[in-house]
Amino acid sequence: MIIDTHAHYDDEQFDIDREELLNSMKENGIELLVNVGADMESSEKTVELTQQYSHVYGAVGVHPNCTLDLAETDIERLKELAAMPKIVAIGEIGLDYYWDDPERDIQRKWFDRQMELAREVKLPMIIHSRDAAKDTLDMMKTAHAGDMSGVVHCFSYSVDMAREYLNMGFFLGIGGVITFKNAKKLKEVVEYAPIESIVIETDCPYLAPEPNRGKRNSSLYLPNVVEEIARIKGLEAEQVVELTKQNALKLYRL
Ligand code: NI
């Protein structure tokens, strides 16, 4: 069965049918999923979801675009949340120069602080990096991320950059974008990366795969992502499900 390594079911887009949807996962081949925090509120909600559903695990952290009002007291709170039983990672953390807000110095300060937190609590990191390839890599190297572990979620860079992260022992998170016709660069990355380094994710409610591109995404669309990875790697869909599941279990130490 499939593991969704990155989802946001706390999002208000799921307010109308969250319970029904989450209760339908297992019968639709989704074994477990990791709900990922993006700010303090969604990190708190993530913990609640892990308590309500046996197949929901969680990550707590603050997304770069949500770091403007962050304070050291929030980091202390994240540390408490990270100690909860089903919290398996710190994330999503990183740099986003596409939206470029707040200013880069603030993003970098809190990325660094949250990498330090991951080290303190001994959990893997979920990295969000958009249009910030060089700074992300430089900061991770400076923080010795190579002797921690984690995933670069919704990987969007080149093969050269993928090689750098793979050398650090990080996984690459692949989601709906891989099914898009214009995703040439990402298809090259999936061709290049060993299947042992790939994990499957939705980032739902965003980034639904074809043929549902543009709609609200959910873990139920993951078979479309699996099929495209299988096609690129010359594997059976069942093999991709099984191998990426083992990778996800290893990533989150489940
Ligand atoms: Ni996300």
Side-chain angles (χ1 to χ4, degrees):
M1 294 218 285
I2 295 174
I3 296 183
D4 185 349
T5 59
H6 191 118
H8 301 283
Y9 283 105
D10 54 278
D11 192 282
E12 60 182 14
Q13 289 190 50
F14 293 110
D15 283 354
I16 43 163
D17 61 351
R18 181 177 297 108
E19 190 176 351
E20 193 188 342
L21 190 57
L22 286 174
N23 283 331
S24 75
M25 288 297 155
K26 287 200 172 170
E27 69 207 51
N28 287 295
I30 309 301
E31 184 170 348
L32 64 86
L33 59 93
V34 175
N35 202 78
V36 179
D39 55 22
M40 292 310 294
E41 193 188 344
S42 61
S43 293
E44 299 277 354
K45 279 190 191 163
T46 292
V47 172
E48 285 170 27
L49 288 173
T50 66
Q51 290 164 344
Q52 285 160 357
Y53 299 92
S54 62
H55 58 298
V56 176
Y57 287 72
V60 295
V62 176
H63 184 290
N65 294 139
C66 302
T67 52
L68 181 62
D69 297 321
L70 210 56
E72 188 56 31
T73 49
D74 294 318
I75 301 295
E76 288 307 311
R77 179 61 184 153
L78 288 176
K79 197 170 183 173
E80 289 172 5
L81 297 178
M84 307 293 273
K86 290 166 75 191
I87 298 304
V88 295
I90 297 296
E92 53 189 287
I93 62 174
L95 300 173
D96 192 317
Y97 295 170
Y98 176 82
W99 295 108
D100 225 359
D101 174 56
E103 61 181 87
R104 295 178 182 190
D105 276 353
I106 295 176
Q107 292 193 34
R108 285 192 283 253
K109 174 185 170 185
W110 292 109
F111 180 30
D112 216 33
R113 182 64 188 95
Q114 291 184 95
M115 282 198 282
E116 197 183 310
L117 172 67
R119 189 182 287 279
E120 285 167 15
V121 298
K122 299 188 174 63
L123 286 178
M125 304 184 282
I126 300 173
I127 304 291
H128 170 105
S129 179
R130 192 170 181 196
D131 289 358
K134 189 178 181 303
D135 276 13
T136 307
L137 188 65
D138 288 350
M139 286 186 66
M140 286 173 70
K141 283 185 173 170
T142 304
H144 301 286
D147 45 62
M148 299 192 270
S149 63
V151 57
V152 184
H153 119 83
C154 195
F155 191 83
S156 61
Y157 299 132
S158 64
V159 165
D160 283 344
M161 204 46 81
R163 185 181 299 119
E164 295 269 9
Y165 288 109
L166 294 176
N167 285 342
M168 261 198 260
F170 272 63
F171 291 91
L172 308 181
I174 305 295
V177 175
I178 193 66
T179 68
F180 299 172
K181 263 213 171 81
N182 57 0
K184 187 165 167 281
K185 196 169 73 171
L186 187 60
K187 289 177 201 276
E188 285 168 7
V189 166
V190 167
E191 203 177 344
Y192 165 78
I195 189 73
E196 290 76 18
S197 299
I198 292 174
V199 293
I200 308 272
E201 64 170 55
T202 53
D203 204 19
C204 65
Y206 312 105
L207 299 172
E210 294 286 2
N212 293 294
R213 186 174 181 174
K215 292 188 193 163
R216 185 189 73 172
N217 195 9
S218 88
S219 313
L220 303 184
Y221 294 149
L222 280 174
N224 297 119
V225 172
V226 167
E227 271 168 40
E228 181 59 13
I229 294 173
R231 190 192 66 75
I232 294 170
K233 303 299 269 180
L235 295 168
E236 297 296 325
E238 266 314 301
Q239 292 175 287
V240 171
V241 168
E242 186 51 36
L243 292 167
T244 57
K245 173 183 154 175
Q246 296 308 324
N247 300 340
L249 295 174
K250 193 174 158 202
L251 163 63
Y252 293 132
R253 304 171 195 154
L254 290 167

